[in-house]
PDB file of all heavy atoms in Angstrom:
ATOM      1  N   MET A   1     -14.504 -50.739 -35.426  1.00 98.00           N
ATOM      2  CA  MET A   1     -15.203 -50.001 -36.475  1.00 98.00           C
ATOM      3  C   MET A   1     -15.854 -48.749 -35.909  1.00 98.00           C
ATOM      4  O   MET A   1     -16.318 -48.747 -34.765  1.00 98.00           O
ATOM      5  CB  MET A   1     -16.265 -50.890 -37.137  1.00 98.00           C
ATOM      6  CG  MET A   1     -15.697 -52.056 -37.912  1.00 98.00           C
ATOM      7  SD  MET A   1     -16.982 -53.031 -38.741  1.00 98.00           S
ATOM      8  CE  MET A   1     -17.795 -53.774 -37.330  1.00 98.00           C
ATOM      9  N   ARG A   2     -15.893 -47.711 -36.741  1.00 98.00           N
ATOM     10  CA  ARG A   2     -16.560 -46.454 -36.393  1.00 98.00           C
ATOM     11  C   ARG A   2     -17.769 -46.266 -37.311  1.00 98.00           C
ATOM     12  O   ARG A   2     -17.702 -46.515 -38.518  1.00 98.00           O
ATOM     13  CB  ARG A   2     -15.601 -45.283 -36.574  1.00 98.00           C
ATOM     14  CG  ARG A   2     -16.241 -43.919 -36.282  1.00 98.00           C
ATOM     15  CD  ARG A   2     -15.371 -42.767 -36.744  1.00 98.00           C
ATOM     16  NE  ARG A   2     -14.152 -42.652 -35.953  1.00 98.00           N
ATOM     17  CZ  ARG A   2     -12.926 -42.698 -36.455  1.00 98.00           C
ATOM     18  NH1 ARG A   2     -12.749 -42.897 -37.768  1.00 98.00           N
ATOM     19  NH2 ARG A   2     -11.871 -42.553 -35.681  1.00 98.00           N
ATOM     20  N   ARG A   3     -18.863 -45.813 -36.735  1.00 97.00           N
ATOM     21  CA  ARG A   3     -20.047 -45.506 -37.539  1.00 97.00           C
ATOM     22  C   ARG A   3     -19.782 -44.300 -38.414  1.00 97.00           C
ATOM     23  O   ARG A   3     -19.269 -43.277 -37.950  1.00 97.00           O
ATOM     24  CB  ARG A   3     -21.234 -45.228 -36.607  1.00 97.00           C
ATOM     25  CG  ARG A   3     -22.499 -44.787 -37.326  1.00 97.00           C
ATOM     26  CD  ARG A   3     -23.664 -44.687 -36.375  1.00 97.00           C
ATOM     27  NE  ARG A   3     -23.512 -43.641 -35.367  1.00 97.00           N
ATOM     28  CZ  ARG A   3     -23.899 -42.371 -35.515  1.00 97.00           C
ATOM     29  NH1 ARG A   3     -24.449 -41.977 -36.655  1.00 97.00           N
ATOM     30  NH2 ARG A   3     -23.740 -41.502 -34.531  1.00 97.00           N
ATOM     31  N   ILE A   4     -20.167 -44.386 -39.704  1.00 97.00           N
ATOM     32  CA  ILE A   4     -19.974 -43.255 -40.622  1.00 97.00           C
ATOM     33  C   ILE A   4     -21.287 -42.809 -41.270  1.00 97.00           C
ATOM     34  O   ILE A   4     -21.283 -41.869 -42.066  1.00 97.00           O
ATOM     35  CB  ILE A   4     -18.933 -43.590 -41.717  1.00 97.00           C
ATOM     36  CG1 ILE A   4     -19.347 -44.838 -42.506  1.00 97.00           C
ATOM     37  CG2 ILE A   4     -17.553 -43.748 -41.114  1.00 97.00           C
ATOM     38  CD1 ILE A   4     -18.445 -45.135 -43.698  1.00 97.00           C
ATOM     39  N   GLY A   5     -22.389 -43.484 -40.947  1.00 93.00           N
ATOM     40  CA  GLY A   5     -23.694 -43.095 -41.463  1.00 93.00           C
ATOM     41  C   GLY A   5     -24.658 -42.879 -40.320  1.00 93.00           C
ATOM     42  O   GLY A   5     -24.262 -42.796 -39.151  1.00 93.00           O
ATOM     43  N   PRO A   6     -25.945 -42.782 -40.602  1.00 95.00           N
ATOM     44  CA  PRO A   6     -26.943 -42.649 -39.538  1.00 95.00           C
ATOM     45  C   PRO A   6     -26.927 -43.855 -38.608  1.00 95.00           C
ATOM     46  O   PRO A   6     -26.548 -44.961 -39.007  1.00 95.00           O
ATOM     47  CB  PRO A   6     -28.267 -42.566 -40.314  1.00 95.00           C
ATOM     48  CG  PRO A   6     -27.891 -42.180 -41.700  1.00 95.00           C
ATOM     49  CD  PRO A   6     -26.541 -42.760 -41.953  1.00 95.00           C
ATOM     50  N   LYS A   7     -27.336 -43.650 -37.368  1.00 95.00           N
ATOM     51  CA  LYS A   7     -27.390 -44.760 -36.415  1.00 95.00           C
ATOM     52  C   LYS A   7     -28.278 -45.873 -36.962  1.00 95.00           C
ATOM     53  O   LYS A   7     -29.396 -45.625 -37.416  1.00 95.00           O
ATOM     54  CB  LYS A   7     -27.916 -44.290 -35.059  1.00 95.00           C
ATOM     55  CG  LYS A   7     -26.871 -43.640 -34.183  1.00 95.00           C
ATOM     56  CD  LYS A   7     -27.267 -43.650 -32.709  1.00 95.00           C
ATOM     57  CE  LYS A   7     -26.106 -43.156 -31.855  1.00 95.00           C
ATOM     58  NZ  LYS A   7     -26.364 -43.307 -30.409  1.00 95.00           N
ATOM     59  N   GLY A   8     -27.747 -47.083 -36.893  1.00 93.00           N
ATOM     60  CA  GLY A   8     -28.509 -48.240 -37.329  1.00 93.00           C
ATOM     61  C   GLY A   8     -28.502 -48.495 -38.816  1.00 93.00           C
ATOM     62  O   GLY A   8     -29.116 -49.463 -39.281  1.00 93.00           O
ATOM     63  N   ALA A   9     -27.803 -47.655 -39.598  1.00 94.00           N
ATOM     64  CA  ALA A   9     -27.813 -47.816 -41.060  1.00 94.00           C
ATOM     65  C   ALA A   9     -26.812 -48.856 -41.541  1.00 94.00           C
ATOM     66  O   ALA A   9     -26.821 -49.221 -42.725  1.00 94.00           O
ATOM     67  CB  ALA A   9     -27.529 -46.478 -41.735  1.00 94.00           C
ATOM     68  N   GLY A  10     -25.937 -49.313 -40.670  1.00 94.00           N
ATOM     69  CA  GLY A  10     -24.991 -50.352 -41.049  1.00 94.00           C
ATOM     70  C   GLY A  10     -23.833 -49.856 -41.887  1.00 94.00           C
ATOM     71  O   GLY A  10     -23.235 -50.632 -42.641  1.00 94.00           O
ATOM     72  N   GLN A  11     -23.484 -48.590 -41.750  1.00 96.00           N
ATOM     73  CA  GLN A  11     -22.367 -48.021 -42.506  1.00 96.00           C
ATOM     74  C   GLN A  11     -21.186 -47.828 -41.562  1.00 96.00           C
ATOM     75  O   GLN A  11     -21.259 -47.051 -40.601  1.00 96.00           O
ATOM     76  CB  GLN A  11     -22.773 -46.686 -43.142  1.00 96.00           C
ATOM     77  CG  GLN A  11     -23.908 -46.836 -44.142  1.00 96.00           C
ATOM     78  CD  GLN A  11     -24.451 -45.507 -44.627  1.00 96.00           C
ATOM     79  OE1 GLN A  11     -24.010 -44.447 -44.192  1.00 96.00           O
ATOM     80  NE2 GLN A  11     -25.416 -45.555 -45.527  1.00 96.00           N
ATOM     81  N   TRP A  12     -20.084 -48.536 -41.848  1.00 98.00           N
ATOM     82  CA  TRP A  12     -18.960 -48.600 -40.918  1.00 98.00           C
ATOM     83  C   TRP A  12     -17.643 -48.342 -41.629  1.00 98.00           C
ATOM     84  O   TRP A  12     -17.490 -48.634 -42.813  1.00 98.00           O
ATOM     85  CB  TRP A  12     -18.889 -49.976 -40.244  1.00 98.00           C
ATOM     86  CG  TRP A  12     -20.144 -50.351 -39.521  1.00 98.00           C
ATOM     87  CD1 TRP A  12     -21.163 -51.143 -39.981  1.00 98.00           C
ATOM     88  CD2 TRP A  12     -20.527 -49.941 -38.216  1.00 98.00           C
ATOM     89  NE1 TRP A  12     -22.153 -51.249 -39.035  1.00 98.00           N
ATOM     90  CE2 TRP A  12     -21.792 -50.516 -37.940  1.00 98.00           C
ATOM     91  CE3 TRP A  12     -19.932 -49.134 -37.240  1.00 98.00           C
ATOM     92  CZ2 TRP A  12     -22.454 -50.330 -36.732  1.00 98.00           C
ATOM     93  CZ3 TRP A  12     -20.589 -48.945 -36.035  1.00 98.00           C
ATOM     94  CH2 TRP A  12     -21.840 -49.541 -35.793  1.00 98.00           C
ATOM     95  N   GLN A  13     -16.697 -47.850 -40.850  1.00 97.00           N
ATOM     96  CA  GLN A  13     -15.325 -47.665 -41.315  1.00 97.00           C
ATOM     97  C   GLN A  13     -14.396 -48.408 -40.372  1.00 97.00           C
ATOM     98  O   GLN A  13     -14.455 -48.210 -39.153  1.00 97.00           O
ATOM     99  CB  GLN A  13     -14.971 -46.167 -41.308  1.00 97.00           C
ATOM    100  CG  GLN A  13     -13.525 -45.857 -41.658  1.00 97.00           C
ATOM    101  CD  GLN A  13     -13.185 -44.389 -41.421  1.00 97.00           C
ATOM    102  OE1 GLN A  13     -13.575 -43.816 -40.403  1.00 97.00           O
ATOM    103  NE2 GLN A  13     -12.513 -43.782 -42.371  1.00 97.00           N
ATOM    104  N   GLN A  14     -13.551 -49.290 -40.897  1.00 98.00           N
ATOM    105  CA  GLN A  14     -12.587 -49.994 -40.060  1.00 98.00           C
ATOM    106  C   GLN A  14     -11.532 -49.010 -39.570  1.00 98.00           C
ATOM    107  O   GLN A  14     -11.012 -48.204 -40.337  1.00 98.00           O
ATOM    108  CB  GLN A  14     -11.926 -51.130 -40.844  1.00 98.00           C
ATOM    109  CG  GLN A  14     -10.962 -51.957 -40.011  1.00 98.00           C
ATOM    110  CD  GLN A  14     -10.401 -53.138 -40.787  1.00 98.00           C
ATOM    111  OE1 GLN A  14     -11.120 -53.779 -41.560  1.00 98.00           O
ATOM    112  NE2 GLN A  14      -9.129 -53.433 -40.592  1.00 98.00           N
ATOM    113  N   ILE A  15     -11.223 -49.084 -38.273  1.00 98.00           N
ATOM    114  CA  ILE A  15     -10.221 -48.209 -37.677  1.00 98.00           C
ATOM    115  C   ILE A  15      -9.280 -49.044 -36.833  1.00 98.00           C
ATOM    116  O   ILE A  15      -9.536 -50.225 -36.569  1.00 98.00           O
ATOM    117  CB  ILE A  15     -10.863 -47.085 -36.819  1.00 98.00           C
ATOM    118  CG1 ILE A  15     -11.759 -47.685 -35.719  1.00 98.00           C
ATOM    119  CG2 ILE A  15     -11.661 -46.125 -37.695  1.00 98.00           C
ATOM    120  CD1 ILE A  15     -12.362 -46.641 -34.777  1.00 98.00           C
ATOM    121  N   SER A  16      -8.204 -48.442 -36.371  1.00 98.00           N
ATOM    122  CA  SER A  16      -7.249 -49.142 -35.516  1.00 98.00           C
ATOM    123  C   SER A  16      -7.712 -49.096 -34.064  1.00 98.00           C
ATOM    124  O   SER A  16      -8.570 -48.284 -33.690  1.00 98.00           O
ATOM    125  CB  SER A  16      -5.872 -48.491 -35.626  1.00 98.00           C
ATOM    126  OG  SER A  16      -5.882 -47.203 -35.005  1.00 98.00           O
ATOM    127  N   TRP A  17      -7.104 -49.935 -33.247  1.00 98.00           N
ATOM    128  CA  TRP A  17      -7.416 -49.909 -31.820  1.00 98.00           C
ATOM    129  C   TRP A  17      -7.031 -48.564 -31.206  1.00 98.00           C
ATOM    130  O   TRP A  17      -7.774 -48.026 -30.379  1.00 98.00           O
ATOM    131  CB  TRP A  17      -6.710 -51.049 -31.095  1.00 98.00           C
ATOM    132  CG  TRP A  17      -7.529 -52.305 -31.057  1.00 98.00           C
ATOM    133  CD1 TRP A  17      -7.388 -53.412 -31.836  1.00 98.00           C
ATOM    134  CD2 TRP A  17      -8.640 -52.574 -30.184  1.00 98.00           C
ATOM    135  NE1 TRP A  17      -8.342 -54.354 -31.506  1.00 98.00           N
ATOM    136  CE2 TRP A  17      -9.122 -53.870 -30.495  1.00 98.00           C
ATOM    137  CE3 TRP A  17      -9.278 -51.856 -29.182  1.00 98.00           C
ATOM    138  CZ2 TRP A  17     -10.199 -54.455 -29.838  1.00 98.00           C
ATOM    139  CZ3 TRP A  17     -10.360 -52.439 -28.521  1.00 98.00           C
ATOM    140  CH2 TRP A  17     -10.815 -53.717 -28.852  1.00 98.00           C
ATOM    141  N   ASP A  18      -5.892 -48.013 -31.583  1.00 98.00           N
ATOM    142  CA  ASP A  18      -5.497 -46.722 -31.021  1.00 98.00           C
ATOM    143  C   ASP A  18      -6.510 -45.642 -31.375  1.00 98.00           C
ATOM    144  O   ASP A  18      -6.889 -44.824 -30.520  1.00 98.00           O
ATOM    145  CB  ASP A  18      -4.111 -46.324 -31.539  1.00 98.00           C
ATOM    146  CG  ASP A  18      -2.984 -47.069 -30.838  1.00 98.00           C
ATOM    147  OD1 ASP A  18      -3.219 -47.579 -29.718  1.00 98.00           O
ATOM    148  OD2 ASP A  18      -1.884 -47.154 -31.406  1.00 98.00           O
ATOM    149  N   GLU A  19      -6.966 -45.634 -32.609  1.00 98.00           N
ATOM    150  CA  GLU A  19      -7.982 -44.653 -33.000  1.00 98.00           C
ATOM    151  C   GLU A  19      -9.257 -44.837 -32.181  1.00 98.00           C
ATOM    152  O   GLU A  19      -9.855 -43.857 -31.696  1.00 98.00           O
ATOM    153  CB  GLU A  19      -8.307 -44.794 -34.485  1.00 98.00           C
ATOM    154  CG  GLU A  19      -7.238 -44.332 -35.436  1.00 98.00           C
ATOM    155  CD  GLU A  19      -7.629 -44.591 -36.874  1.00 98.00           C
ATOM    156  OE1 GLU A  19      -7.655 -45.778 -37.281  1.00 98.00           O
ATOM    157  OE2 GLU A  19      -7.929 -43.613 -37.599  1.00 98.00           O
ATOM    158  N   ALA A  20      -9.679 -46.076 -32.037  1.00 98.00           N
ATOM    159  CA  ALA A  20     -10.919 -46.351 -31.314  1.00 98.00           C
ATOM    160  C   ALA A  20     -10.805 -45.937 -29.851  1.00 98.00           C
ATOM    161  O   ALA A  20     -11.676 -45.232 -29.317  1.00 98.00           O
ATOM    162  CB  ALA A  20     -11.260 -47.832 -31.426  1.00 98.00           C
ATOM    163  N   LEU A  21      -9.740 -46.365 -29.197  1.00 98.00           N
ATOM    164  CA  LEU A  21      -9.595 -46.086 -27.763  1.00 98.00           C
ATOM    165  C   LEU A  21      -9.379 -44.602 -27.510  1.00 98.00           C
ATOM    166  O   LEU A  21      -9.902 -44.052 -26.525  1.00 98.00           O
ATOM    167  CB  LEU A  21      -8.444 -46.910 -27.201  1.00 98.00           C
ATOM    168  CG  LEU A  21      -8.682 -48.430 -27.178  1.00 98.00           C
ATOM    169  CD1 LEU A  21      -7.382 -49.173 -26.896  1.00 98.00           C
ATOM    170  CD2 LEU A  21      -9.744 -48.806 -26.158  1.00 98.00           C
ATOM    171  N   ASP A  22      -8.633 -43.939 -28.377  1.00 98.00           N
ATOM    172  CA  ASP A  22      -8.437 -42.497 -28.207  1.00 98.00           C
ATOM    173  C   ASP A  22      -9.761 -41.748 -28.335  1.00 98.00           C
ATOM    174  O   ASP A  22     -10.049 -40.824 -27.554  1.00 98.00           O
ATOM    175  CB  ASP A  22      -7.451 -41.967 -29.258  1.00 98.00           C
ATOM    176  CG  ASP A  22      -6.009 -42.366 -28.983  1.00 98.00           C
ATOM    177  OD1 ASP A  22      -5.718 -42.828 -27.863  1.00 98.00           O
ATOM    178  OD2 ASP A  22      -5.181 -42.239 -29.903  1.00 98.00           O
ATOM    179  N   GLU A  23     -10.580 -42.142 -29.298  1.00 98.00           N
ATOM    180  CA  GLU A  23     -11.859 -41.457 -29.482  1.00 98.00           C
ATOM    181  C   GLU A  23     -12.798 -41.726 -28.308  1.00 98.00           C
ATOM    182  O   GLU A  23     -13.484 -40.816 -27.829  1.00 98.00           O
ATOM    183  CB  GLU A  23     -12.512 -41.886 -30.788  1.00 98.00           C
ATOM    184  CG  GLU A  23     -13.835 -41.174 -31.048  1.00 98.00           C
ATOM    185  CD  GLU A  23     -14.399 -41.431 -32.427  1.00 98.00           C
ATOM    186  OE1 GLU A  23     -13.651 -41.918 -33.307  1.00 98.00           O
ATOM    187  OE2 GLU A  23     -15.595 -41.144 -32.630  1.00 98.00           O
ATOM    188  N   ILE A  24     -12.834 -42.966 -27.844  1.00 98.00           N
ATOM    189  CA  ILE A  24     -13.703 -43.289 -26.705  1.00 98.00           C
ATOM    190  C   ILE A  24     -13.290 -42.483 -25.482  1.00 98.00           C
ATOM    191  O   ILE A  24     -14.131 -41.873 -24.797  1.00 98.00           O
ATOM    192  CB  ILE A  24     -13.657 -44.796 -26.401  1.00 98.00           C
ATOM    193  CG1 ILE A  24     -14.240 -45.599 -27.563  1.00 98.00           C
ATOM    194  CG2 ILE A  24     -14.430 -45.106 -25.114  1.00 98.00           C
ATOM    195  CD1 ILE A  24     -13.916 -47.085 -27.494  1.00 98.00           C
ATOM    196  N   ALA A  25     -11.998 -42.466 -25.182  1.00 98.00           N
ATOM    197  CA  ALA A  25     -11.526 -41.723 -24.012  1.00 98.00           C
ATOM    198  C   ALA A  25     -11.851 -40.237 -24.134  1.00 98.00           C
ATOM    199  O   ALA A  25     -12.315 -39.601 -23.168  1.00 98.00           O
ATOM    200  CB  ALA A  25     -10.023 -41.934 -23.837  1.00 98.00           C
ATOM    201  N   ALA A  26     -11.647 -39.667 -25.320  1.00 98.00           N
ATOM    202  CA  ALA A  26     -11.932 -38.241 -25.514  1.00 98.00           C
ATOM    203  C   ALA A  26     -13.412 -37.939 -25.332  1.00 98.00           C
ATOM    204  O   ALA A  26     -13.785 -36.949 -24.689  1.00 98.00           O
ATOM    205  CB  ALA A  26     -11.461 -37.807 -26.905  1.00 98.00           C
ATOM    206  N   ARG A  27     -14.257 -38.793 -25.876  1.00 98.00           N
ATOM    207  CA  ARG A  27     -15.708 -38.564 -25.766  1.00 98.00           C
ATOM    208  C   ARG A  27     -16.178 -38.744 -24.326  1.00 98.00           C
ATOM    209  O   ARG A  27     -17.032 -37.989 -23.849  1.00 98.00           O
ATOM    210  CB  ARG A  27     -16.457 -39.493 -26.715  1.00 98.00           C
ATOM    211  CG  ARG A  27     -16.219 -39.223 -28.190  1.00 98.00           C
ATOM    212  CD  ARG A  27     -16.864 -37.914 -28.658  1.00 98.00           C
ATOM    213  NE  ARG A  27     -18.301 -37.929 -28.555  1.00 98.00           N
ATOM    214  CZ  ARG A  27     -19.128 -38.368 -29.509  1.00 98.00           C
ATOM    215  NH1 ARG A  27     -18.623 -38.831 -30.652  1.00 98.00           N
ATOM    216  NH2 ARG A  27     -20.425 -38.319 -29.342  1.00 98.00           N
ATOM    217  N   PHE A  28     -15.648 -39.753 -23.620  1.00 98.00           N
ATOM    218  CA  PHE A  28     -16.023 -39.942 -22.216  1.00 98.00           C
ATOM    219  C   PHE A  28     -15.595 -38.730 -21.383  1.00 98.00           C
ATOM    220  O   PHE A  28     -16.355 -38.248 -20.525  1.00 98.00           O
ATOM    221  CB  PHE A  28     -15.402 -41.220 -21.666  1.00 98.00           C
ATOM    222  CG  PHE A  28     -16.139 -42.488 -22.018  1.00 98.00           C
ATOM    223  CD1 PHE A  28     -17.066 -42.538 -23.045  1.00 98.00           C
ATOM    224  CD2 PHE A  28     -15.901 -43.657 -21.306  1.00 98.00           C
ATOM    225  CE1 PHE A  28     -17.744 -43.697 -23.365  1.00 98.00           C
ATOM    226  CE2 PHE A  28     -16.575 -44.837 -21.617  1.00 98.00           C
ATOM    227  CZ  PHE A  28     -17.490 -44.854 -22.646  1.00 98.00           C
ATOM    228  N   LEU A  29     -14.382 -38.239 -21.614  1.00 98.00           N
ATOM    229  CA  LEU A  29     -13.914 -37.070 -20.866  1.00 98.00           C
ATOM    230  C   LEU A  29     -14.772 -35.844 -21.166  1.00 98.00           C
ATOM    231  O   LEU A  29     -15.069 -35.044 -20.265  1.00 98.00           O
ATOM    232  CB  LEU A  29     -12.452 -36.785 -21.212  1.00 98.00           C
ATOM    233  CG  LEU A  29     -11.422 -37.754 -20.617  1.00 98.00           C
ATOM    234  CD1 LEU A  29     -10.050 -37.493 -21.211  1.00 98.00           C
ATOM    235  CD2 LEU A  29     -11.372 -37.632 -19.096  1.00 98.00           C
ATOM    236  N   GLN A  30     -15.193 -35.710 -22.398  1.00 98.00           N
ATOM    237  CA  GLN A  30     -16.060 -34.586 -22.766  1.00 98.00           C
ATOM    238  C   GLN A  30     -17.390 -34.661 -22.033  1.00 98.00           C
ATOM    239  O   GLN A  30     -17.893 -33.653 -21.521  1.00 98.00           O
ATOM    240  CB  GLN A  30     -16.280 -34.581 -24.275  1.00 98.00           C
ATOM    241  CG  GLN A  30     -17.108 -33.411 -24.786  1.00 98.00           C
ATOM    242  CD  GLN A  30     -17.310 -33.469 -26.284  1.00 98.00           C
ATOM    243  OE1 GLN A  30     -17.515 -34.541 -26.857  1.00 98.00           O
ATOM    244  NE2 GLN A  30     -17.247 -32.318 -26.941  1.00 98.00           N
ATOM    245  N   VAL A  31     -17.980 -35.868 -21.951  1.00 98.00           N
ATOM    246  CA  VAL A  31     -19.237 -36.029 -21.225  1.00 98.00           C
ATOM    247  C   VAL A  31     -19.029 -35.741 -19.742  1.00 98.00           C
ATOM    248  O   VAL A  31     -19.858 -35.074 -19.103  1.00 98.00           O
ATOM    249  CB  VAL A  31     -19.796 -37.452 -21.439  1.00 98.00           C
ATOM    250  CG1 VAL A  31     -20.962 -37.724 -20.487  1.00 98.00           C
ATOM    251  CG2 VAL A  31     -20.251 -37.630 -22.888  1.00 98.00           C
ATOM    252  N   GLU A  32     -17.927 -36.224 -19.183  1.00 98.00           N
ATOM    253  CA  GLU A  32     -17.634 -35.952 -17.769  1.00 98.00           C
ATOM    254  C   GLU A  32     -17.581 -34.445 -17.517  1.00 98.00           C
ATOM    255  O   GLU A  32     -18.133 -33.952 -16.518  1.00 98.00           O
ATOM    256  CB  GLU A  32     -16.305 -36.581 -17.368  1.00 98.00           C
ATOM    257  CG  GLU A  32     -16.314 -38.101 -17.291  1.00 98.00           C
ATOM    258  CD  GLU A  32     -14.969 -38.642 -16.839  1.00 98.00           C
ATOM    259  OE1 GLU A  32     -14.388 -38.060 -15.899  1.00 98.00           O
ATOM    260  OE2 GLU A  32     -14.488 -39.635 -17.423  1.00 98.00           O
ATOM    261  N   GLN A  33     -16.912 -33.713 -18.386  1.00 98.00           N
ATOM    262  CA  GLN A  33     -16.761 -32.272 -18.202  1.00 98.00           C
ATOM    263  C   GLN A  33     -18.086 -31.534 -18.380  1.00 98.00           C
ATOM    264  O   GLN A  33     -18.396 -30.602 -17.630  1.00 98.00           O
ATOM    265  CB  GLN A  33     -15.737 -31.722 -19.200  1.00 98.00           C
ATOM    266  CG  GLN A  33     -14.314 -32.162 -18.921  1.00 98.00           C
ATOM    267  CD  GLN A  33     -13.345 -31.700 -20.003  1.00 98.00           C
ATOM    268  OE1 GLN A  33     -13.763 -31.309 -21.092  1.00 98.00           O
ATOM    269  NE2 GLN A  33     -12.054 -31.750 -19.700  1.00 98.00           N
ATOM    270  N   ASN A  34     -18.874 -31.952 -19.359  1.00 97.00           N
ATOM    271  CA  ASN A  34     -20.107 -31.222 -19.679  1.00 97.00           C
ATOM    272  C   ASN A  34     -21.269 -31.575 -18.766  1.00 97.00           C
ATOM    273  O   ASN A  34     -22.089 -30.712 -18.437  1.00 97.00           O
ATOM    274  CB  ASN A  34     -20.509 -31.491 -21.133  1.00 97.00           C
ATOM    275  CG  ASN A  34     -19.533 -30.903 -22.125  1.00 97.00           C
ATOM    276  OD1 ASN A  34     -18.718 -30.048 -21.776  1.00 97.00           O
ATOM    277  ND2 ASN A  34     -19.604 -31.348 -23.368  1.00 97.00           N
ATOM    278  N   SER A  35     -21.366 -32.856 -18.375  1.00 97.00           N
ATOM    279  CA  SER A  35     -22.564 -33.310 -17.656  1.00 97.00           C
ATOM    280  C   SER A  35     -22.266 -34.031 -16.352  1.00 97.00           C
ATOM    281  O   SER A  35     -23.194 -34.404 -15.640  1.00 97.00           O
ATOM    282  CB  SER A  35     -23.372 -34.252 -18.561  1.00 97.00           C
ATOM    283  OG  SER A  35     -23.687 -33.634 -19.781  1.00 97.00           O
ATOM    284  N   GLY A  36     -20.994 -34.260 -16.050  1.00 97.00           N
ATOM    285  CA  GLY A  36     -20.621 -34.972 -14.840  1.00 97.00           C
ATOM    286  C   GLY A  36     -20.383 -36.443 -15.116  1.00 97.00           C
ATOM    287  O   GLY A  36     -20.942 -37.013 -16.067  1.00 97.00           O
ATOM    288  N   PRO A  37     -19.553 -37.093 -14.289  1.00 98.00           N
ATOM    289  CA  PRO A  37     -19.205 -38.498 -14.539  1.00 98.00           C
ATOM    290  C   PRO A  37     -20.395 -39.447 -14.479  1.00 98.00           C
ATOM    291  O   PRO A  37     -20.373 -40.498 -15.123  1.00 98.00           O
ATOM    292  CB  PRO A  37     -18.179 -38.814 -13.442  1.00 98.00           C
ATOM    293  CG  PRO A  37     -18.365 -37.760 -12.406  1.00 98.00           C
ATOM    294  CD  PRO A  37     -18.829 -36.542 -13.129  1.00 98.00           C
ATOM    295  N   GLU A  38     -21.451 -39.097 -13.739  1.00 98.00           N
ATOM    296  CA  GLU A  38     -22.616 -39.984 -13.666  1.00 98.00           C
ATOM    297  C   GLU A  38     -23.362 -40.073 -14.990  1.00 98.00           C
ATOM    298  O   GLU A  38     -24.216 -40.947 -15.162  1.00 98.00           O
ATOM    299  CB  GLU A  38     -23.575 -39.523 -12.569  1.00 98.00           C
ATOM    300  CG  GLU A  38     -23.068 -39.802 -11.167  1.00 98.00           C
ATOM    301  CD  GLU A  38     -24.114 -39.513 -10.114  1.00 98.00           C
ATOM    302  OE1 GLU A  38     -25.028 -38.715 -10.394  1.00 98.00           O
ATOM    303  OE2 GLU A  38     -24.023 -40.093  -9.013  1.00 98.00           O
ATOM    304  N   SER A  39     -23.039 -39.195 -15.935  1.00 98.00           N
ATOM    305  CA  SER A  39     -23.667 -39.278 -17.250  1.00 98.00           C
ATOM    306  C   SER A  39     -23.018 -40.337 -18.137  1.00 98.00           C
ATOM    307  O   SER A  39     -23.456 -40.544 -19.265  1.00 98.00           O
ATOM    308  CB  SER A  39     -23.617 -37.912 -17.944  1.00 98.00           C
ATOM    309  OG  SER A  39     -24.531 -37.021 -17.327  1.00 98.00           O
ATOM    310  N   VAL A  40     -21.979 -41.000 -17.637  1.00 98.00           N
ATOM    311  CA  VAL A  40     -21.399 -42.166 -18.299  1.00 98.00           C
ATOM    312  C   VAL A  40     -21.879 -43.401 -17.546  1.00 98.00           C
ATOM    313  O   VAL A  40     -21.762 -43.478 -16.320  1.00 98.00           O
ATOM    314  CB  VAL A  40     -19.861 -42.111 -18.306  1.00 98.00           C
ATOM    315  CG1 VAL A  40     -19.295 -43.327 -19.042  1.00 98.00           C
ATOM    316  CG2 VAL A  40     -19.376 -40.820 -18.947  1.00 98.00           C
ATOM    317  N   TRP A  41     -22.422 -44.358 -18.281  1.00 98.00           N
ATOM    318  CA  TRP A  41     -22.995 -45.555 -17.647  1.00 98.00           C
ATOM    319  C   TRP A  41     -22.433 -46.819 -18.293  1.00 98.00           C
ATOM    320  O   TRP A  41     -22.928 -47.256 -19.335  1.00 98.00           O
ATOM    321  CB  TRP A  41     -24.520 -45.545 -17.771  1.00 98.00           C
ATOM    322  CG  TRP A  41     -25.225 -46.611 -16.969  1.00 98.00           C
ATOM    323  CD1 TRP A  41     -24.780 -47.243 -15.845  1.00 98.00           C
ATOM    324  CD2 TRP A  41     -26.521 -47.156 -17.233  1.00 98.00           C
ATOM    325  NE1 TRP A  41     -25.714 -48.141 -15.380  1.00 98.00           N
ATOM    326  CE2 TRP A  41     -26.797 -48.106 -16.222  1.00 98.00           C
ATOM    327  CE3 TRP A  41     -27.482 -46.936 -18.219  1.00 98.00           C
ATOM    328  CZ2 TRP A  41     -27.991 -48.839 -16.178  1.00 98.00           C
ATOM    329  CZ3 TRP A  41     -28.662 -47.657 -18.176  1.00 98.00           C
ATOM    330  CH2 TRP A  41     -28.920 -48.591 -17.171  1.00 98.00           C
ATOM    331  N   PRO A  42     -21.389 -47.427 -17.718  1.00 98.00           N
ATOM    332  CA  PRO A  42     -20.966 -48.754 -18.184  1.00 98.00           C
ATOM    333  C   PRO A  42     -22.080 -49.762 -17.917  1.00 98.00           C
ATOM    334  O   PRO A  42     -22.650 -49.805 -16.822  1.00 98.00           O
ATOM    335  CB  PRO A  42     -19.727 -49.044 -17.333  1.00 98.00           C
ATOM    336  CG  PRO A  42     -19.262 -47.696 -16.856  1.00 98.00           C
ATOM    337  CD  PRO A  42     -20.515 -46.896 -16.673  1.00 98.00           C
TER     338      PRO A  42
END
């Protein structure tokens, strides 16, 4: 699921695994480029 409302508001949209994983990878890469890999914390 992807959040579609304010954080914590409980508004979600069901998505596919490919959509979810593609978005996560893109956002992680963006953070790596903008702030460095240490700005990602598993």
Side-chain angles (χ1 to χ4, degrees):
M1 294 183 291
R2 178 192 292 122
R3 175 173 66 89
I4 57 174
K7 278 201 172 187
Q11 298 172 358
W12 303 98
Q13 175 189 43
Q14 183 176 321
I15 57 177
S16 70
W17 271 102
D18 283 339
E19 289 177 290
L21 293 168
D22 287 346
E23 181 172 344
I24 295 166
R27 294 290 296 272
F28 279 17
L29 286 171
Q30 183 181 39
V31 169
E32 290 182 43
Q33 291 175 344
N34 293 344
S35 304
E38 287 188 337
S39 288
V40 182
W41 189 25

